mmCIF file of all heavy atoms in Angstrom:
data_model
loop_
_atom_site.group_PDB
_atom_site.id
_atom_site.type_symbol
_atom_site.label_atom_id
_atom_site.label_comp_id
_atom_site.label_asym_id
_atom_site.label_seq_id
_atom_site.Cartn_x
_atom_site.Cartn_y
_atom_site.Cartn_z
ATOM 1 N N MET A 1 0.852 -1.179 0.000
ATOM 2 C CA MET A 1 0.000 0.000 0.000
ATOM 3 C C MET A 1 0.893 1.235 0.000
ATOM 4 O O MET A 1 1.868 1.302 0.734
ATOM 5 C CB MET A 1 -0.910 -0.022 1.228
ATOM 6 C CG MET A 1 -1.927 1.080 1.232
ATOM 7 S SD MET A 1 -3.065 0.983 2.629
ATOM 8 C CE MET A 1 -4.015 -0.437 2.172
ATOM 9 N N GLU A 2 0.515 2.188 -0.776
ATOM 10 C CA GLU A 2 1.327 3.392 -0.880
ATOM 11 C C GLU A 2 1.025 4.363 0.258
ATOM 12 O O GLU A 2 -0.101 4.469 0.716
ATOM 13 C CB GLU A 2 1.055 4.082 -2.212
ATOM 14 C CG GLU A 2 1.512 3.248 -3.397
ATOM 15 C CD GLU A 2 1.330 3.987 -4.705
ATOM 16 O OE1 GLU A 2 1.454 5.224 -4.706
ATOM 17 O OE2 GLU A 2 1.060 3.324 -5.704
ATOM 18 N N LEU A 3 2.059 5.069 0.687
ATOM 19 C CA LEU A 3 1.916 6.005 1.800
ATOM 20 C C LEU A 3 0.939 7.126 1.482
ATOM 21 O O LEU A 3 0.199 7.571 2.356
ATOM 22 C CB LEU A 3 3.277 6.577 2.180
ATOM 23 C CG LEU A 3 3.313 7.491 3.399
ATOM 24 C CD1 LEU A 3 2.808 6.758 4.631
ATOM 25 C CD2 LEU A 3 4.703 8.012 3.638
ATOM 26 N N ASN A 4 0.894 7.570 0.225
ATOM 27 C CA ASN A 4 -0.007 8.687 -0.108
ATOM 28 C C ASN A 4 -1.480 8.310 0.057
ATOM 29 O O ASN A 4 -2.310 9.167 0.314
ATOM 30 C CB ASN A 4 0.267 9.234 -1.509
ATOM 31 C CG ASN A 4 0.055 8.205 -2.597
ATOM 32 O OD1 ASN A 4 -0.102 7.025 -2.329
ATOM 33 N ND2 ASN A 4 0.079 8.659 -3.828
ATOM 34 N N ILE A 5 -1.815 7.050 -0.079
ATOM 35 C CA ILE A 5 -3.196 6.607 0.162
ATOM 36 C C ILE A 5 -3.518 6.727 1.647
ATOM 37 O O ILE A 5 -4.601 7.160 2.025
ATOM 38 C CB ILE A 5 -3.402 5.156 -0.320
ATOM 39 C CG1 ILE A 5 -3.273 5.086 -1.835
ATOM 40 C CG2 ILE A 5 -4.764 4.620 0.122
ATOM 41 C CD1 ILE A 5 -3.260 3.684 -2.391
ATOM 42 N N LEU A 6 -2.566 6.354 2.495
ATOM 43 C CA LEU A 6 -2.785 6.405 3.938
ATOM 44 C C LEU A 6 -2.822 7.828 4.488
ATOM 45 O O LEU A 6 -3.451 8.086 5.505
ATOM 46 C CB LEU A 6 -1.681 5.618 4.662
ATOM 47 C CG LEU A 6 -1.624 4.127 4.376
ATOM 48 C CD1 LEU A 6 -0.406 3.518 5.049
ATOM 49 C CD2 LEU A 6 -2.883 3.435 4.858
ATOM 50 N N THR A 7 -2.158 8.756 3.828
ATOM 51 C CA THR A 7 -2.096 10.132 4.313
ATOM 52 C C THR A 7 -3.050 11.071 3.575
ATOM 53 O O THR A 7 -3.077 12.264 3.865
ATOM 54 C CB THR A 7 -0.654 10.673 4.199
ATOM 55 O OG1 THR A 7 -0.245 10.603 2.834
ATOM 56 C CG2 THR A 7 0.305 9.891 5.070
ATOM 57 N N ALA A 8 -3.853 10.547 2.667
ATOM 58 C CA ALA A 8 -4.792 11.376 1.923
ATOM 59 C C ALA A 8 -5.892 11.894 2.853
ATOM 60 O O ALA A 8 -6.287 11.212 3.795
ATOM 61 C CB ALA A 8 -5.416 10.567 0.786
ATOM 62 N N PRO A 9 -6.381 13.107 2.606
ATOM 63 C CA PRO A 9 -7.471 13.648 3.433
ATOM 64 C C PRO A 9 -8.729 12.785 3.335
ATOM 65 O O PRO A 9 -9.007 12.187 2.302
ATOM 66 C CB PRO A 9 -7.727 15.024 2.835
ATOM 67 C CG PRO A 9 -6.539 15.336 2.003
ATOM 68 C CD PRO A 9 -5.954 14.025 1.576
ATOM 69 N N ILE A 10 -9.478 12.756 4.419
ATOM 70 C CA ILE A 10 -10.740 12.004 4.452
ATOM 71 C C ILE A 10 -11.854 12.931 3.977
ATOM 72 O O ILE A 10 -11.932 14.085 4.389
ATOM 73 C CB ILE A 10 -11.035 11.513 5.877
ATOM 74 C CG1 ILE A 10 -9.955 10.531 6.325
ATOM 75 C CG2 ILE A 10 -12.411 10.872 5.983
ATOM 76 C CD1 ILE A 10 -10.057 10.116 7.774
ATOM 77 N N THR A 11 -12.719 12.420 3.131
ATOM 78 C CA THR A 11 -13.858 13.219 2.672
ATOM 79 C C THR A 11 -15.048 12.984 3.596
ATOM 80 O O THR A 11 -15.115 11.992 4.326
ATOM 81 C CB THR A 11 -14.258 12.840 1.235
ATOM 82 O OG1 THR A 11 -14.727 11.498 1.231
ATOM 83 C CG2 THR A 11 -13.081 12.964 0.279
ATOM 84 N N THR A 12 -15.999 13.895 3.552
ATOM 85 C CA THR A 12 -17.188 13.759 4.411
ATOM 86 C C THR A 12 -18.012 12.524 4.052
ATOM 87 O O THR A 12 -18.706 11.978 4.897
ATOM 88 C CB THR A 12 -18.072 15.013 4.318
ATOM 89 O OG1 THR A 12 -18.413 15.263 2.957
ATOM 90 C CG2 THR A 12 -17.367 16.228 4.886
ATOM 91 N N GLN A 13 -17.917 12.069 2.803
ATOM 92 C CA GLN A 13 -18.655 10.877 2.395
ATOM 93 C C GLN A 13 -18.079 9.610 3.017
ATOM 94 O O GLN A 13 -18.737 8.578 3.061
ATOM 95 C CB GLN A 13 -18.670 10.736 0.868
ATOM 96 C CG GLN A 13 -19.497 11.774 0.157
ATOM 97 C CD GLN A 13 -18.780 13.110 -0.011
ATOM 98 O OE1 GLN A 13 -17.574 13.195 0.126
ATOM 99 N NE2 GLN A 13 -19.531 14.157 -0.279
ATOM 100 N N GLU A 14 -16.845 9.662 3.487
ATOM 101 C CA GLU A 14 -16.190 8.489 4.058
ATOM 102 C C GLU A 14 -16.409 8.352 5.560
ATOM 103 O O GLU A 14 -16.002 7.373 6.160
ATOM 104 C CB GLU A 14 -14.685 8.549 3.788
ATOM 105 C CG GLU A 14 -14.341 8.481 2.321
ATOM 106 C CD GLU A 14 -12.864 8.667 2.071
ATOM 107 O OE1 GLU A 14 -12.322 9.732 2.419
ATOM 108 O OE2 GLU A 14 -12.248 7.736 1.519
ATOM 109 N N ILE A 15 -17.066 9.324 6.177
ATOM 110 C CA ILE A 15 -17.250 9.314 7.628
ATOM 111 C C ILE A 15 -18.663 8.845 7.963
ATOM 112 O O ILE A 15 -19.644 9.337 7.410
ATOM 113 C CB ILE A 15 -17.018 10.708 8.229
ATOM 114 C CG1 ILE A 15 -15.593 11.159 7.955
ATOM 115 C CG2 ILE A 15 -17.317 10.708 9.731
ATOM 116 C CD1 ILE A 15 -15.301 12.585 8.358
ATOM 117 N N GLU A 16 -18.765 7.889 8.876
ATOM 118 C CA GLU A 16 -20.043 7.462 9.436
ATOM 119 C C GLU A 16 -20.059 7.839 10.901
ATOM 120 O O GLU A 16 -19.035 7.757 11.579
ATOM 121 C CB GLU A 16 -20.213 5.939 9.330
ATOM 122 C CG GLU A 16 -20.401 5.426 7.932
ATOM 123 C CD GLU A 16 -20.656 3.924 7.933
ATOM 124 O OE1 GLU A 16 -21.174 3.391 8.925
ATOM 125 O OE2 GLU A 16 -20.309 3.301 6.929
ATOM 126 N N TRP A 17 -21.195 8.263 11.392
ATOM 127 C CA TRP A 17 -21.338 8.616 12.803
ATOM 128 C C TRP A 17 -22.115 7.513 13.505
ATOM 129 O O TRP A 17 -23.173 7.104 13.043
ATOM 130 C CB TRP A 17 -22.049 9.953 12.947
ATOM 131 C CG TRP A 17 -21.225 11.084 12.432
ATOM 132 C CD1 TRP A 17 -21.255 11.590 11.172
ATOM 133 C CD2 TRP A 17 -20.221 11.813 13.136
ATOM 134 N NE1 TRP A 17 -20.327 12.603 11.049
ATOM 135 C CE2 TRP A 17 -19.685 12.760 12.246
ATOM 136 C CE3 TRP A 17 -19.720 11.760 14.442
ATOM 137 C CZ2 TRP A 17 -18.674 13.647 12.621
ATOM 138 C CZ3 TRP A 17 -18.712 12.650 14.810
ATOM 139 C CH2 TRP A 17 -18.209 13.579 13.909
ATOM 140 N N ARG A 18 -21.588 7.039 14.617
ATOM 141 C CA ARG A 18 -22.243 5.983 15.377
ATOM 142 C C ARG A 18 -22.442 6.443 16.819
ATOM 143 O O ARG A 18 -21.575 7.078 17.396
ATOM 144 C CB ARG A 18 -21.405 4.710 15.361
ATOM 145 C CG ARG A 18 -21.244 4.162 13.957
ATOM 146 C CD ARG A 18 -20.545 2.843 13.963
ATOM 147 N NE ARG A 18 -20.288 2.415 12.588
ATOM 148 C CZ ARG A 18 -19.598 1.344 12.273
ATOM 149 N NH1 ARG A 18 -19.088 0.580 13.221
ATOM 150 N NH2 ARG A 18 -19.408 1.022 11.017
ATOM 151 N N VAL A 19 -23.574 6.072 17.388
ATOM 152 C CA VAL A 19 -23.868 6.433 18.766
ATOM 153 C C VAL A 19 -23.055 5.548 19.692
ATOM 154 O O VAL A 19 -23.104 4.319 19.598
ATOM 155 C CB VAL A 19 -25.374 6.282 19.070
ATOM 156 C CG1 VAL A 19 -25.652 6.569 20.533
ATOM 157 C CG2 VAL A 19 -26.187 7.204 18.171
ATOM 158 N N GLN A 20 -22.286 6.164 20.587
ATOM 159 C CA GLN A 20 -21.513 5.411 21.565
ATOM 160 C C GLN A 20 -22.339 5.198 22.833
ATOM 161 O O GLN A 20 -22.377 4.111 23.378
ATOM 162 C CB GLN A 20 -20.219 6.139 21.923
ATOM 163 C CG GLN A 20 -19.413 5.405 22.979
ATOM 164 C CD GLN A 20 -18.213 6.189 23.457
ATOM 165 O OE1 GLN A 20 -18.130 7.385 23.279
ATOM 166 N NE2 GLN A 20 -17.281 5.502 24.063
ATOM 167 N N SER A 21 -22.985 6.256 23.297
ATOM 168 C CA SER A 21 -23.806 6.150 24.500
ATOM 169 C C SER A 21 -24.834 7.267 24.507
ATOM 170 O O SER A 21 -24.737 8.218 23.750
ATOM 171 C CB SER A 21 -22.934 6.217 25.756
ATOM 172 O OG SER A 21 -22.264 7.457 25.814
ATOM 173 N N GLN A 22 -25.830 7.105 25.373
ATOM 174 C CA GLN A 22 -26.841 8.135 25.525
ATOM 175 C C GLN A 22 -27.309 8.161 26.968
ATOM 176 O O GLN A 22 -27.135 7.192 27.701
ATOM 177 C CB GLN A 22 -28.020 7.920 24.584
ATOM 178 C CG GLN A 22 -28.850 6.683 24.863
ATOM 179 C CD GLN A 22 -29.967 6.526 23.853
ATOM 180 O OE1 GLN A 22 -29.848 6.948 22.713
ATOM 181 N NE2 GLN A 22 -31.045 5.918 24.272
ATOM 182 N N THR A 23 -27.888 9.294 27.345
ATOM 183 C CA THR A 23 -28.402 9.417 28.700
ATOM 184 C C THR A 23 -29.654 8.559 28.836
ATOM 185 O O THR A 23 -30.290 8.183 27.844
ATOM 186 C CB THR A 23 -28.734 10.881 29.033
ATOM 187 O OG1 THR A 23 -29.656 11.377 28.074
ATOM 188 C CG2 THR A 23 -27.480 11.735 29.031
ATOM 189 N N LYS A 24 -30.014 8.262 30.078
ATOM 190 C CA LYS A 24 -31.180 7.407 30.312
ATOM 191 C C LYS A 24 -32.463 7.995 29.750
ATOM 192 O O LYS A 24 -33.334 7.261 29.293
ATOM 193 C CB LYS A 24 -31.346 7.139 31.816
ATOM 194 C CG LYS A 24 -30.289 6.227 32.365
ATOM 195 C CD LYS A 24 -30.512 5.938 33.826
ATOM 196 C CE LYS A 24 -29.422 5.025 34.352
ATOM 197 N NZ LYS A 24 -29.606 4.694 35.762
ATOM 198 N N ASP A 25 -32.578 9.323 29.764
ATOM 199 C CA ASP A 25 -33.784 9.952 29.225
ATOM 200 C C ASP A 25 -33.724 10.140 27.707
ATOM 201 O O ASP A 25 -34.691 10.573 27.102
ATOM 202 C CB ASP A 25 -34.059 11.285 29.922
ATOM 203 C CG ASP A 25 -32.953 12.311 29.716
ATOM 204 O OD1 ASP A 25 -31.995 12.046 28.958
ATOM 205 O OD2 ASP A 25 -33.044 13.391 30.336
ATOM 206 N N GLY A 26 -32.590 9.809 27.089
ATOM 207 C CA GLY A 26 -32.460 9.889 25.637
ATOM 208 C C GLY A 26 -32.281 11.291 25.092
ATOM 209 O O GLY A 26 -32.337 11.498 23.888
ATOM 210 N N GLN A 27 -32.065 12.272 25.968
ATOM 211 C CA GLN A 27 -31.943 13.662 25.533
ATOM 212 C C GLN A 27 -30.553 14.004 24.998
ATOM 213 O O GLN A 27 -30.413 14.934 24.211
ATOM 214 C CB GLN A 27 -32.301 14.602 26.687
ATOM 215 C CG GLN A 27 -33.747 14.520 27.098
ATOM 216 C CD GLN A 27 -34.691 14.966 26.003
ATOM 217 O OE1 GLN A 27 -34.522 16.032 25.436
ATOM 218 N NE2 GLN A 27 -35.679 14.160 25.703
ATOM 219 N N LYS A 28 -29.536 13.279 25.444
ATOM 220 C CA LYS A 28 -28.173 13.561 25.005
ATOM 221 C C LYS A 28 -27.499 12.269 24.561
ATOM 222 O O LYS A 28 -27.724 11.218 25.147
ATOM 223 C CB LYS A 28 -27.356 14.185 26.134
ATOM 224 C CG LYS A 28 -27.867 15.530 26.582
ATOM 225 C CD LYS A 28 -27.015 16.091 27.686
ATOM 226 C CE LYS A 28 -27.569 17.428 28.158
ATOM 227 N NZ LYS A 28 -26.779 17.971 29.272
ATOM 228 N N ILE A 29 -26.672 12.392 23.522
ATOM 229 C CA ILE A 29 -25.921 11.230 23.039
ATOM 230 C C ILE A 29 -24.468 11.627 22.796
ATOM 231 O O ILE A 29 -24.158 12.799 22.618
ATOM 232 C CB ILE A 29 -26.530 10.635 21.746
ATOM 233 C CG1 ILE A 29 -26.492 11.663 20.606
ATOM 234 C CG2 ILE A 29 -27.930 10.114 21.979
ATOM 235 C CD1 ILE A 29 -26.886 11.095 19.267
ATOM 236 N N ILE A 30 -23.613 10.639 22.788
ATOM 237 C CA ILE A 30 -22.218 10.812 22.393
ATOM 238 C C ILE A 30 -22.033 10.018 21.114
ATOM 239 O O ILE A 30 -22.353 8.822 21.076
ATOM 240 C CB ILE A 30 -21.258 10.317 23.481
ATOM 241 C CG1 ILE A 30 -21.410 11.159 24.745
ATOM 242 C CG2 ILE A 30 -19.805 10.379 22.974
ATOM 243 C CD1 ILE A 30 -20.592 10.644 25.914
ATOM 244 N N VAL A 31 -21.549 10.676 20.073
ATOM 245 C CA VAL A 31 -21.328 10.001 18.794
ATOM 246 C C VAL A 31 -19.852 9.981 18.470
ATOM 247 O O VAL A 31 -19.091 10.846 18.895
ATOM 248 C CB VAL A 31 -22.125 10.659 17.643
ATOM 249 C CG1 VAL A 31 -23.617 10.496 17.840
ATOM 250 C CG2 VAL A 31 -21.768 12.124 17.495
ATOM 251 N N LEU A 32 -19.451 8.976 17.707
ATOM 252 C CA LEU A 32 -18.060 8.809 17.292
ATOM 253 C C LEU A 32 -17.984 8.709 15.780
ATOM 254 O O LEU A 32 -18.792 8.025 15.164
ATOM 255 C CB LEU A 32 -17.467 7.544 17.902
ATOM 256 C CG LEU A 32 -17.396 7.468 19.412
ATOM 257 C CD1 LEU A 32 -16.931 6.081 19.849
ATOM 258 C CD2 LEU A 32 -16.455 8.508 19.943
ATOM 259 N N PRO A 33 -17.008 9.376 15.174
ATOM 260 C CA PRO A 33 -16.832 9.217 13.725
ATOM 261 C C PRO A 33 -16.073 7.930 13.434
ATOM 262 O O PRO A 33 -15.132 7.566 14.135
ATOM 263 C CB PRO A 33 -15.986 10.439 13.352
ATOM 264 C CG PRO A 33 -15.233 10.780 14.594
ATOM 265 C CD PRO A 33 -16.101 10.369 15.739
ATOM 266 N N TYR A 34 -16.509 7.211 12.428
ATOM 267 C CA TYR A 34 -15.840 5.992 11.977
ATOM 268 C C TYR A 34 -15.458 6.163 10.533
ATOM 269 O O TYR A 34 -16.143 6.763 9.777
ATOM 270 C CB TYR A 34 -16.760 4.778 12.098
ATOM 271 C CG TYR A 34 -16.827 4.201 13.480
ATOM 272 C CD1 TYR A 34 -17.706 4.721 14.427
ATOM 273 C CD2 TYR A 34 -16.019 3.139 13.835
ATOM 274 C CE1 TYR A 34 -17.773 4.177 15.699
ATOM 275 C CE2 TYR A 34 -16.086 2.583 15.103
ATOM 276 C CZ TYR A 34 -16.965 3.113 16.031
ATOM 277 O OH TYR A 34 -17.012 2.563 17.267
#
């Protein structure tokens, strides 16, 4: 694998957001980019 592929900027289309946790009442969440 070439180094330039690994160091290339990430586009917004390549990012997924996943919920890591949320409060018991569901009003607040913590999300992580993948």
Side-chain angles (χ1 to χ4, degrees):
M1 186 176 289
E2 294 184 32
L3 185 59
N4 61 349
I5 294 172
L6 296 174
T7 59
I10 296 173
T11 65
T12 55
Q13 291 80 17
E14 296 175 299
I15 299 173
E16 291 184 27
W17 293 92
R18 297 186 186 175
V19 176
Q20 178 187 18
S21 62
Q22 66 182 29
T23 56
K24 289 182 181 181
D25 62 5
Q27 294 296 309
K28 296 180 182 178
I29 62 172
I30 296 174
V31 294
L32 298 173
Y34 279 85

